[in-house]
Amino acid sequence: QSALTQPPSVSAAPGQKVTISCSGSSSNIENDYVSWYQQLPGTAPKLLIYDNNKRPSGIPDRFSGSKSGTSATLGITGLQTGDEADYYCGTWDSRLSAGRFGGGTKLTVL
Amino acid sequence: QMQLVESGGGVVQPGRSLRLSCAASGFTFSSYGMHWVRQAPGKGLEWVAVIWPDGSKKYYVESVKGRFTISRDNSKNTLYLQMDSLRPEDTAVYYCARHVGGGSSWDYWGQGTLVTVSS
């Protein structure tokens, strides 16, 4: 059972916007930074957002991150078919002294 | 360019050992914390372990404590994961990943190496 809770799936049409939530607790999200990853089938995860809302070089501004209290959100605008993938949130849990990922959310672009 | 290349995966019987390696290039390896993350077939990501840049601190997920050991050789730009007393539930693709930013974020990942624990 993941310490971070994500919806199993989300879907939206091309060009639309979607948000993916990540719910945690005071020992992880509330007191540490959150990161987000995209994983295409058969490939390694790719960092989309780090330190809650920062984008690495090369990540388009269609991807955004935010955090409030014990929850974080990934937003994707202008959806493309190439955005179909699994998305994971991640953070550090200070109570467990361990990294944590959400269970993952499968994005379908209809 | 930056690269992480894992090796050492394979098929191993329950109770046996395996050592994974992760060769780093294209960046100053000794300046970064390094992690192992695994993914069981068809499942999500699971964080496994972290080691500080100088090797001074190490942390593990509860399920591998006492069985797995993370280490590094900064002179060889290589990260290791010694896995002992392997169990079928350790079957997964194991990724090494570089730490970035203020919290637990991983900006570069290797391609992964598959470990299968089966009799």
Side-chain angles (χ1 to χ4, degrees):
Chain A
Q1 185 176 4
S2 301
L4 308 180
T5 301
Q6 297 181 233
S9 64
V10 296
S11 61
Q16 297 299 304
K17 174 182 178 179
V18 71
T19 60
I20 298 173
S21 62
C22 176
S23 178
S25 69
S26 59
S27 68
N28 43 65
I29 289 180
E30 188 168 41
N31 287 294
D32 207 304
Y33 292 102
V34 177
S35 53
W36 290 91
Y37 304 85
Q38 176 193 64
Q39 188 177 34
L40 299 169
T43 68
K46 176 183 179 181
L47 178 66
L48 295 176
I49 298 290
Y50 69 101
D51 290 0
N52 300 333
N53 54 20
K54 297 177 182 176
R55 285 188 309 277
S57 174
I59 300 300
D61 58 7
R62 299 190 299 111
F63 295 91
S64 63
S66 63
K67 190 185 88 166
S68 178
T70 59
S71 294
T73 302
L74 172 70
I76 311 174
T77 60
L79 278 171
Q80 304 171 1
T81 55
D83 295 331
E84 285 202 335
D86 294 323
Y87 292 82
Y88 295 90
C89 58
T91 190
W92 182 260
D93 193 305
S94 58
R95 179 178 66 84
L96 301 172
S97 292
R100 274 295 184 264
F101 287 100
T105 299
K106 182 175 183 59
L107 169 64
T108 300
V109 181
L110 303 170
Chain B
Q1 68 279 22
M2 230 233 61
Q3 198 170 14
L4 296 171
V5 179
E6 302 96 337
S7 60
V11 180
V12 61
Q13 293 180 327
R16 303 299 290 265
S17 299
L18 208 59
R19 188 176 85 155
L20 305 182
S21 299
C22 170
S25 60
F27 67 101
T28 305
F29 180 71
S30 59
S31 296
Y32 289 85
M34 296 296 297
H35 300 249
W36 287 99
V37 176
R38 67 184 178 183
Q39 187 169 34
K43 303 297 185 182
L45 301 174
E46 181 181 37
W47 178 86
V48 175
V50 61
I51 185 167
W52 256 231
D54 62 358
S56 60
K57 293 185 179 180
K58 305 173 185 180
Y59 295 101
Y60 302 89
V61 67
E62 189 65 34
S63 60
V64 309
K65 285 180 182 177
R67 300 189 300 122
F68 289 13
T69 302
I70 189 172
S71 63
R72 65 192 297 161
D73 186 336
N74 286 342
S75 69
K76 295 182 178 180
N77 293 338
T78 303
L79 175 72
Y80 302 101
L81 186 67
Q82 177 67 40
M83 305 186 294
D84 299 324
S85 303
L86 282 162
R87 305 167 179 169
E89 55 264 36
D90 295 319
T91 294
V93 173
Y94 285 73
Y95 297 100
C96 62
R98 189 180 81 165
H99 186 107
V100 70
S104 273
S105 301
W106 306 273
D107 62 345
Y108 285 99
W109 298 62
Q111 83 288 352
T113 187
L114 176 62
V115 173
T116 303
V117 184
S118 173
S119 54

Short mmCIF file of all heavy atoms in Angstrom, two decimals, chain A residues 2 32-35 37 39 42-47 49-51 86 88 90-92 96-103, chain B residues 35 37 39 43-47 50 52 59-62 65 95 100-112:
data_model
loop_
_atom_site.label_atom_id
_atom_site.label_comp_id
_atom_site.label_asym_id
_atom_site.label_seq_id
_atom_site.Cartn_x
_atom_site.Cartn_y
_atom_site.Cartn_z
N SER A 2 0.65 2.12 -1.01
CA SER A 2 1.46 3.31 -1.13
C SER A 2 1.12 4.30 -0.03
O SER A 2 -0.03 4.43 0.37
CB SER A 2 1.23 3.95 -2.49
OG SER A 2 1.55 3.06 -3.54
N ASP A 32 7.83 18.17 2.99
CA ASP A 32 8.93 17.95 2.06
C ASP A 32 8.48 18.33 0.65
O ASP A 32 7.31 18.60 0.41
CB ASP A 32 9.38 16.49 2.09
CG ASP A 32 10.84 16.34 1.71
OD1 ASP A 32 11.21 16.80 0.60
OD2 ASP A 32 11.61 15.77 2.49
N TYR A 33 9.41 18.36 -0.24
CA TYR A 33 9.11 18.69 -1.62
C TYR A 33 8.50 17.49 -2.34
O TYR A 33 8.77 16.34 -2.02
CB TYR A 33 10.40 19.11 -2.36
CG TYR A 33 10.98 20.40 -1.90
CD1 TYR A 33 12.09 20.42 -1.04
CD2 TYR A 33 10.45 21.62 -2.30
CE1 TYR A 33 12.64 21.61 -0.61
CE2 TYR A 33 11.00 22.83 -1.89
CZ TYR A 33 12.09 22.81 -1.04
OH TYR A 33 12.63 24.00 -0.62
N VAL A 34 7.71 17.80 -3.36
CA VAL A 34 7.06 16.77 -4.18
C VAL A 34 7.62 16.82 -5.59
O VAL A 34 7.91 17.91 -6.12
CB VAL A 34 5.54 16.97 -4.21
CG1 VAL A 34 4.87 15.94 -5.13
CG2 VAL A 34 4.96 16.85 -2.79
N SER A 35 7.77 15.66 -6.18
CA SER A 35 8.20 15.57 -7.57
C SER A 35 7.20 14.71 -8.36
O SER A 35 6.43 13.95 -7.77
CB SER A 35 9.61 14.99 -7.67
OG SER A 35 9.72 13.77 -6.97
N TYR A 37 6.64 12.32 -12.14
CA TYR A 37 7.33 11.54 -13.16
C TYR A 37 6.33 11.03 -14.19
O TYR A 37 5.20 10.68 -13.86
CB TYR A 37 8.07 10.36 -12.53
CG TYR A 37 9.02 10.84 -11.48
CD1 TYR A 37 8.58 11.06 -10.18
CD2 TYR A 37 10.34 11.16 -11.79
CE1 TYR A 37 9.43 11.58 -9.22
CE2 TYR A 37 11.20 11.68 -10.83
CZ TYR A 37 10.72 11.89 -9.56
OH TYR A 37 11.56 12.42 -8.60
N GLN A 39 6.02 8.00 -17.04
CA GLN A 39 6.62 6.75 -17.49
C GLN A 39 5.85 6.20 -18.68
O GLN A 39 4.69 5.79 -18.54
CB GLN A 39 6.68 5.72 -16.37
CG GLN A 39 7.46 4.48 -16.76
CD GLN A 39 7.60 3.47 -15.64
OE1 GLN A 39 6.71 3.30 -14.82
NE2 GLN A 39 8.74 2.78 -15.60
N GLY A 42 7.51 0.54 -21.03
CA GLY A 42 8.82 -0.06 -21.31
C GLY A 42 10.00 0.87 -21.16
O GLY A 42 11.12 0.52 -21.57
N THR A 43 9.78 2.04 -20.57
CA THR A 43 10.89 2.99 -20.42
C THR A 43 11.04 3.39 -18.95
O THR A 43 10.16 3.16 -18.13
CB THR A 43 10.67 4.25 -21.26
OG1 THR A 43 9.57 5.00 -20.72
CG2 THR A 43 10.39 3.91 -22.71
N ALA A 44 12.18 4.02 -18.66
CA ALA A 44 12.42 4.51 -17.31
C ALA A 44 11.58 5.76 -17.05
O ALA A 44 11.22 6.48 -17.99
CB ALA A 44 13.90 4.84 -17.13
N PRO A 45 11.27 6.03 -15.79
CA PRO A 45 10.54 7.27 -15.48
C PRO A 45 11.33 8.50 -15.90
O PRO A 45 12.57 8.49 -15.94
CB PRO A 45 10.41 7.20 -13.95
CG PRO A 45 10.50 5.75 -13.63
CD PRO A 45 11.50 5.20 -14.62
N LYS A 46 10.59 9.56 -16.18
CA LYS A 46 11.17 10.83 -16.60
C LYS A 46 10.68 11.92 -15.66
O LYS A 46 9.48 12.03 -15.41
CB LYS A 46 10.75 11.15 -18.03
CG LYS A 46 11.21 12.50 -18.56
CD LYS A 46 10.65 12.70 -19.96
CE LYS A 46 11.04 14.03 -20.55
NZ LYS A 46 10.46 14.20 -21.91
N LEU A 47 11.61 12.71 -15.13
CA LEU A 47 11.24 13.77 -14.20
C LEU A 47 10.52 14.91 -14.94
O LEU A 47 11.04 15.45 -15.91
CB LEU A 47 12.49 14.31 -13.50
CG LEU A 47 12.30 15.47 -12.54
CD1 LEU A 47 11.47 15.03 -11.32
CD2 LEU A 47 13.65 16.03 -12.09
N ILE A 49 8.48 17.40 -12.81
CA ILE A 49 8.40 18.49 -11.84
C ILE A 49 9.22 18.09 -10.61
O ILE A 49 9.11 16.95 -10.15
CB ILE A 49 6.95 18.74 -11.39
CG1 ILE A 49 6.07 19.16 -12.57
CG2 ILE A 49 6.89 19.79 -10.27
CD1 ILE A 49 6.35 20.54 -13.13
N TYR A 50 10.01 19.01 -10.08
CA TYR A 50 10.70 18.76 -8.82
C TYR A 50 10.52 19.98 -7.91
O TYR A 50 10.12 21.05 -8.37
CB TYR A 50 12.18 18.43 -9.04
CG TYR A 50 13.02 19.59 -9.53
CD1 TYR A 50 13.83 20.30 -8.66
CD2 TYR A 50 13.02 19.95 -10.87
CE1 TYR A 50 14.60 21.36 -9.09
CE2 TYR A 50 13.80 21.01 -11.32
CZ TYR A 50 14.59 21.70 -10.43
OH TYR A 50 15.37 22.75 -10.88
N ASP A 51 10.81 19.78 -6.63
CA ASP A 51 10.63 20.84 -5.63
C ASP A 51 9.26 21.51 -5.77
O ASP A 51 9.14 22.74 -5.79
CB ASP A 51 11.75 21.88 -5.75
CG ASP A 51 13.09 21.34 -5.29
OD1 ASP A 51 13.12 20.16 -4.87
OD2 ASP A 51 14.08 22.07 -5.34
N ASP A 86 1.89 6.58 -17.66
CA ASP A 86 1.65 6.51 -16.22
C ASP A 86 2.39 7.66 -15.56
O ASP A 86 3.52 7.97 -15.92
CB ASP A 86 2.15 5.17 -15.66
CG ASP A 86 1.37 3.99 -16.17
OD1 ASP A 86 0.14 4.12 -16.35
OD2 ASP A 86 1.97 2.93 -16.40
N TYR A 88 3.56 9.41 -11.79
CA TYR A 88 3.80 9.12 -10.38
C TYR A 88 4.23 10.39 -9.64
O TYR A 88 5.02 11.19 -10.17
CB TYR A 88 4.92 8.09 -10.23
CG TYR A 88 4.61 6.73 -10.79
CD1 TYR A 88 4.90 6.42 -12.11
CD2 TYR A 88 4.04 5.74 -9.98
CE1 TYR A 88 4.62 5.16 -12.63
CE2 TYR A 88 3.77 4.48 -10.49
CZ TYR A 88 4.06 4.20 -11.81
OH TYR A 88 3.78 2.96 -12.31
N GLY A 90 6.21 11.70 -6.07
CA GLY A 90 7.21 11.16 -5.17
C GLY A 90 7.61 12.20 -4.15
O GLY A 90 7.51 13.41 -4.38
N THR A 91 8.05 11.72 -2.99
CA THR A 91 8.51 12.63 -1.95
C THR A 91 9.31 11.84 -0.93
O THR A 91 9.55 10.64 -1.11
CB THR A 91 7.32 13.34 -1.28
OG1 THR A 91 7.81 14.38 -0.42
CG2 THR A 91 6.50 12.36 -0.45
N TRP A 92 9.72 12.50 0.14
CA TRP A 92 10.45 11.85 1.24
C TRP A 92 9.55 11.81 2.46
O TRP A 92 8.81 12.75 2.73
CB TRP A 92 11.72 12.64 1.56
CG TRP A 92 12.56 12.02 2.64
CD1 TRP A 92 12.62 12.38 3.97
CD2 TRP A 92 13.46 10.92 2.50
NE1 TRP A 92 13.49 11.58 4.63
CE2 TRP A 92 14.03 10.68 3.76
CE3 TRP A 92 13.85 10.12 1.42
CZ2 TRP A 92 14.96 9.65 3.97
CZ3 TRP A 92 14.77 9.12 1.63
CH2 TRP A 92 15.32 8.89 2.89
N LEU A 96 9.41 7.79 8.31
CA LEU A 96 9.97 6.50 7.91
C LEU A 96 11.43 6.59 7.47
O LEU A 96 12.09 5.57 7.30
CB LEU A 96 9.14 5.92 6.76
CG LEU A 96 7.67 5.67 7.05
CD1 LEU A 96 6.94 5.27 5.77
CD2 LEU A 96 7.50 4.59 8.11
N SER A 97 11.92 7.82 7.25
CA SER A 97 13.25 8.03 6.65
C SER A 97 13.36 7.20 5.38
O SER A 97 14.28 6.37 5.21
CB SER A 97 14.36 7.65 7.62
OG SER A 97 14.39 8.56 8.71
N ALA A 98 12.42 7.43 4.47
CA ALA A 98 12.37 6.65 3.24
C ALA A 98 11.71 7.45 2.14
O ALA A 98 10.85 8.31 2.41
CB ALA A 98 11.59 5.35 3.46
N GLY A 99 12.10 7.19 0.92
CA GLY A 99 11.41 7.78 -0.21
C GLY A 99 10.06 7.13 -0.40
O GLY A 99 9.84 5.99 0.04
N ARG A 100 9.17 7.83 -1.04
CA ARG A 100 7.82 7.30 -1.27
C ARG A 100 7.31 7.73 -2.63
O ARG A 100 7.54 8.86 -3.06
CB ARG A 100 6.85 7.79 -0.20
CG ARG A 100 6.82 6.95 1.06
CD ARG A 100 6.31 5.57 0.82
NE ARG A 100 6.17 4.73 1.98
CZ ARG A 100 7.09 3.87 2.38
NH1 ARG A 100 8.22 3.76 1.73
NH2 ARG A 100 6.86 3.11 3.43
N PHE A 101 6.59 6.82 -3.29
CA PHE A 101 5.91 7.12 -4.53
C PHE A 101 4.42 6.90 -4.35
O PHE A 101 4.00 6.08 -3.52
CB PHE A 101 6.40 6.22 -5.66
CG PHE A 101 7.77 6.52 -6.15
CD1 PHE A 101 8.86 5.78 -5.73
CD2 PHE A 101 7.98 7.55 -7.06
CE1 PHE A 101 10.13 6.05 -6.19
CE2 PHE A 101 9.25 7.83 -7.53
CZ PHE A 101 10.34 7.08 -7.09
N GLY A 102 3.64 7.60 -5.16
CA GLY A 102 2.24 7.28 -5.24
C GLY A 102 2.06 6.01 -6.05
O GLY A 102 3.00 5.52 -6.68
N GLY A 103 0.86 5.48 -6.05
CA GLY A 103 0.59 4.24 -6.75
C GLY A 103 0.56 4.36 -8.27
O GLY A 103 0.55 3.36 -8.98
N HIS B 35 20.14 6.88 -5.60
CA HIS B 35 19.07 6.03 -5.12
C HIS B 35 18.92 4.79 -5.99
O HIS B 35 19.31 4.78 -7.16
CB HIS B 35 17.73 6.78 -5.19
CG HIS B 35 17.66 8.03 -4.39
ND1 HIS B 35 16.87 8.14 -3.26
CD2 HIS B 35 18.27 9.23 -4.56
CE1 HIS B 35 16.98 9.37 -2.77
NE2 HIS B 35 17.83 10.04 -3.53
N VAL B 37 15.60 2.45 -7.12
CA VAL B 37 14.14 2.38 -7.19
C VAL B 37 13.80 1.13 -7.98
O VAL B 37 14.47 0.82 -8.96
CB VAL B 37 13.56 3.62 -7.89
CG1 VAL B 37 12.04 3.50 -8.05
CG2 VAL B 37 13.89 4.89 -7.12
N GLN B 39 10.67 -1.64 -9.70
CA GLN B 39 9.31 -1.72 -10.23
C GLN B 39 9.00 -3.18 -10.56
O GLN B 39 9.57 -3.74 -11.50
CB GLN B 39 9.16 -0.84 -11.48
CG GLN B 39 7.75 -0.74 -12.00
CD GLN B 39 7.63 0.34 -13.06
OE1 GLN B 39 8.54 0.58 -13.84
NE2 GLN B 39 6.47 1.01 -13.11
N LYS B 43 3.55 -3.32 -11.97
CA LYS B 43 3.26 -2.56 -10.75
C LYS B 43 3.87 -1.17 -10.80
O LYS B 43 4.51 -0.79 -11.77
CB LYS B 43 3.78 -3.32 -9.52
CG LYS B 43 3.21 -4.72 -9.38
CD LYS B 43 1.70 -4.71 -9.16
CE LYS B 43 1.17 -6.11 -8.91
NZ LYS B 43 -0.31 -6.11 -8.74
N GLY B 44 3.67 -0.43 -9.72
CA GLY B 44 4.19 0.92 -9.63
C GLY B 44 5.63 0.99 -9.14
O GLY B 44 6.26 -0.04 -8.88
N LEU B 45 6.11 2.20 -9.01
CA LEU B 45 7.47 2.42 -8.55
C LEU B 45 7.57 2.24 -7.04
O LEU B 45 6.66 2.63 -6.31
CB LEU B 45 7.93 3.84 -8.92
CG LEU B 45 7.91 4.20 -10.39
CD1 LEU B 45 8.24 5.68 -10.56
CD2 LEU B 45 8.88 3.34 -11.16
N GLU B 46 8.67 1.67 -6.59
CA GLU B 46 8.94 1.53 -5.16
C GLU B 46 10.36 1.98 -4.88
O GLU B 46 11.32 1.44 -5.43
CB GLU B 46 8.76 0.09 -4.69
CG GLU B 46 9.02 -0.06 -3.19
CD GLU B 46 8.88 -1.49 -2.69
OE1 GLU B 46 9.25 -2.42 -3.41
OE2 GLU B 46 8.41 -1.66 -1.54
N TRP B 47 10.50 2.97 -4.03
CA TRP B 47 11.81 3.44 -3.61
C TRP B 47 12.47 2.35 -2.77
O TRP B 47 11.80 1.73 -1.92
CB TRP B 47 11.67 4.72 -2.83
CG TRP B 47 12.95 5.26 -2.30
CD1 TRP B 47 13.83 6.06 -2.95
CD2 TRP B 47 13.51 5.01 -1.01
NE1 TRP B 47 14.91 6.33 -2.14
CE2 TRP B 47 14.73 5.71 -0.94
CE3 TRP B 47 13.10 4.28 0.11
CZ2 TRP B 47 15.54 5.69 0.18
CZ3 TRP B 47 13.90 4.26 1.24
CH2 TRP B 47 15.10 4.96 1.26
N VAL B 50 18.82 4.87 -0.52
CA VAL B 50 19.56 6.08 -0.88
C VAL B 50 20.91 6.06 -0.17
O VAL B 50 21.04 5.49 0.93
CB VAL B 50 18.78 7.36 -0.50
CG1 VAL B 50 18.52 7.43 1.00
CG2 VAL B 50 19.53 8.62 -0.97
N TRP B 52 24.17 8.87 0.62
CA TRP B 52 24.65 10.25 0.54
C TRP B 52 25.86 10.35 -0.40
O TRP B 52 26.53 9.34 -0.66
CB TRP B 52 25.03 10.71 1.94
CG TRP B 52 24.06 11.65 2.60
CD1 TRP B 52 24.34 12.85 3.20
CD2 TRP B 52 22.65 11.47 2.78
NE1 TRP B 52 23.21 13.42 3.73
CE2 TRP B 52 22.15 12.59 3.47
CE3 TRP B 52 21.73 10.47 2.42
CZ2 TRP B 52 20.81 12.75 3.82
CZ3 TRP B 52 20.39 10.61 2.75
CH2 TRP B 52 19.95 11.74 3.44
N TYR B 59 19.79 4.94 3.75
CA TYR B 59 18.46 4.62 4.23
C TYR B 59 17.82 3.59 3.30
O TYR B 59 18.14 3.57 2.11
CB TYR B 59 17.58 5.88 4.30
CG TYR B 59 18.06 6.90 5.30
CD1 TYR B 59 18.77 8.01 4.89
CD2 TYR B 59 17.79 6.73 6.66
CE1 TYR B 59 19.22 8.95 5.80
CE2 TYR B 59 18.24 7.67 7.58
CZ TYR B 59 18.95 8.77 7.14
OH TYR B 59 19.39 9.70 8.06
N TYR B 60 16.92 2.77 3.87
CA TYR B 60 16.32 1.68 3.11
C TYR B 60 14.81 1.62 3.35
O TYR B 60 14.32 1.99 4.43
CB TYR B 60 16.91 0.34 3.54
CG TYR B 60 18.40 0.24 3.38
CD1 TYR B 60 19.27 0.63 4.40
CD2 TYR B 60 18.96 -0.27 2.21
CE1 TYR B 60 20.64 0.53 4.26
CE2 TYR B 60 20.32 -0.38 2.05
CZ TYR B 60 21.16 0.02 3.08
OH TYR B 60 22.52 -0.07 2.93
N VAL B 61 14.09 1.08 2.38
CA VAL B 61 12.69 0.75 2.60
C VAL B 61 12.64 -0.41 3.58
O VAL B 61 13.55 -1.26 3.62
CB VAL B 61 11.98 0.41 1.27
CG1 VAL B 61 12.51 -0.88 0.68
CG2 VAL B 61 10.48 0.35 1.46
N GLU B 62 11.61 -0.43 4.40
CA GLU B 62 11.52 -1.41 5.48
C GLU B 62 11.67 -2.85 4.98
O GLU B 62 12.32 -3.67 5.63
CB GLU B 62 10.18 -1.25 6.20
CG GLU B 62 10.06 -2.06 7.48
CD GLU B 62 11.04 -1.62 8.55
OE1 GLU B 62 11.35 -0.42 8.63
OE2 GLU B 62 11.50 -2.50 9.30
N LYS B 65 15.43 -3.92 4.62
CA LYS B 65 16.39 -3.67 5.71
C LYS B 65 16.97 -4.98 6.22
O LYS B 65 16.24 -5.94 6.46
CB LYS B 65 15.72 -2.91 6.85
CG LYS B 65 15.48 -1.45 6.57
CD LYS B 65 14.81 -0.75 7.75
CE LYS B 65 14.54 0.71 7.44
NZ LYS B 65 13.83 1.39 8.55
N TYR B 95 16.14 0.28 -10.95
CA TYR B 95 16.70 1.48 -11.56
C TYR B 95 17.61 2.19 -10.55
O TYR B 95 17.28 2.28 -9.36
CB TYR B 95 15.60 2.48 -11.91
CG TYR B 95 14.60 2.04 -12.94
CD1 TYR B 95 13.34 1.57 -12.56
CD2 TYR B 95 14.87 2.14 -14.30
CE1 TYR B 95 12.39 1.20 -13.50
CE2 TYR B 95 13.93 1.77 -15.25
CZ TYR B 95 12.69 1.31 -14.84
OH TYR B 95 11.75 0.95 -15.79
N VAL B 100 18.20 15.09 -7.04
CA VAL B 100 18.28 16.50 -7.43
C VAL B 100 17.34 17.31 -6.56
O VAL B 100 16.36 16.79 -6.04
CB VAL B 100 17.90 16.70 -8.92
CG1 VAL B 100 16.40 16.44 -9.15
CG2 VAL B 100 18.26 18.10 -9.40
N GLY B 101 17.66 18.57 -6.37
CA GLY B 101 16.74 19.46 -5.69
C GLY B 101 16.75 19.33 -4.18
O GLY B 101 17.55 18.61 -3.60
N GLY B 102 15.79 20.03 -3.56
CA GLY B 102 15.77 20.10 -2.11
C GLY B 102 15.16 18.90 -1.43
O GLY B 102 15.43 18.62 -0.27
N GLY B 103 14.31 18.18 -2.10
CA GLY B 103 13.67 17.03 -1.49
C GLY B 103 14.09 15.76 -2.20
O GLY B 103 15.18 15.69 -2.75
N SER B 104 13.23 14.76 -2.16
CA SER B 104 13.54 13.52 -2.88
C SER B 104 13.03 13.61 -4.30
O SER B 104 11.87 13.32 -4.58
CB SER B 104 12.92 12.32 -2.16
OG SER B 104 13.77 11.83 -1.17
N SER B 105 13.88 14.06 -5.19
CA SER B 105 13.58 14.10 -6.62
C SER B 105 14.70 13.40 -7.35
O SER B 105 15.86 13.46 -6.92
CB SER B 105 13.45 15.54 -7.12
OG SER B 105 12.44 16.24 -6.42
N TRP B 106 14.38 12.77 -8.44
CA TRP B 106 15.34 11.96 -9.18
C TRP B 106 15.35 12.42 -10.62
O TRP B 106 14.36 12.20 -11.35
CB TRP B 106 14.95 10.49 -9.06
CG TRP B 106 14.81 10.06 -7.63
CD1 TRP B 106 15.80 9.62 -6.82
CD2 TRP B 106 13.62 10.07 -6.82
NE1 TRP B 106 15.30 9.35 -5.55
CE2 TRP B 106 13.97 9.61 -5.54
CE3 TRP B 106 12.28 10.43 -7.06
CZ2 TRP B 106 13.04 9.48 -4.49
CZ3 TRP B 106 11.36 10.31 -6.02
CH2 TRP B 106 11.74 9.85 -4.76
N ASP B 107 16.45 13.05 -11.07
CA ASP B 107 16.40 13.69 -12.38
C ASP B 107 16.93 12.81 -13.51
O ASP B 107 16.51 12.97 -14.66
CB ASP B 107 17.11 15.05 -12.38
CG ASP B 107 18.59 14.95 -12.05
OD1 ASP B 107 19.03 13.89 -11.55
OD2 ASP B 107 19.29 15.95 -12.27
N TYR B 108 17.85 11.94 -13.23
CA TYR B 108 18.35 11.02 -14.25
C TYR B 108 18.21 9.59 -13.76
O TYR B 108 18.52 9.29 -12.60
CB TYR B 108 19.80 11.33 -14.61
CG TYR B 108 19.94 12.55 -15.47
CD1 TYR B 108 20.29 13.76 -14.91
CD2 TYR B 108 19.69 12.50 -16.85
CE1 TYR B 108 20.41 14.91 -15.69
CE2 TYR B 108 19.81 13.64 -17.64
CZ TYR B 108 20.16 14.83 -17.05
OH TYR B 108 20.27 15.95 -17.82
N TRP B 109 17.74 8.74 -14.67
CA TRP B 109 17.51 7.34 -14.35
C TRP B 109 18.26 6.47 -15.35
O TRP B 109 18.40 6.83 -16.53
CB TRP B 109 16.02 7.02 -14.46
CG TRP B 109 15.13 7.76 -13.53
CD1 TRP B 109 14.94 9.12 -13.48
CD2 TRP B 109 14.29 7.20 -12.52
NE1 TRP B 109 14.04 9.43 -12.49
CE2 TRP B 109 13.62 8.28 -11.90
CE3 TRP B 109 14.03 5.90 -12.09
CZ2 TRP B 109 12.70 8.09 -10.86
CZ3 TRP B 109 13.12 5.71 -11.05
CH2 TRP B 109 12.47 6.79 -10.45
N GLY B 110 18.71 5.32 -14.88
CA GLY B 110 19.25 4.34 -15.79
C GLY B 110 18.13 3.64 -16.55
O GLY B 110 16.95 3.93 -16.33
N GLN B 111 18.52 2.70 -17.40
CA GLN B 111 17.52 1.98 -18.20
C GLN B 111 16.89 0.83 -17.43
O GLN B 111 15.88 0.28 -17.84
CB GLN B 111 18.16 1.46 -19.50
CG GLN B 111 18.91 0.14 -19.37
CD GLN B 111 20.23 0.25 -18.60
OE1 GLN B 111 20.70 1.34 -18.27
NE2 GLN B 111 20.86 -0.90 -18.34
N GLY B 112 17.50 0.49 -16.29
CA GLY B 112 16.98 -0.57 -15.44
C GLY B 112 17.59 -1.93 -15.75
O GLY B 112 18.02 -2.19 -16.88
#
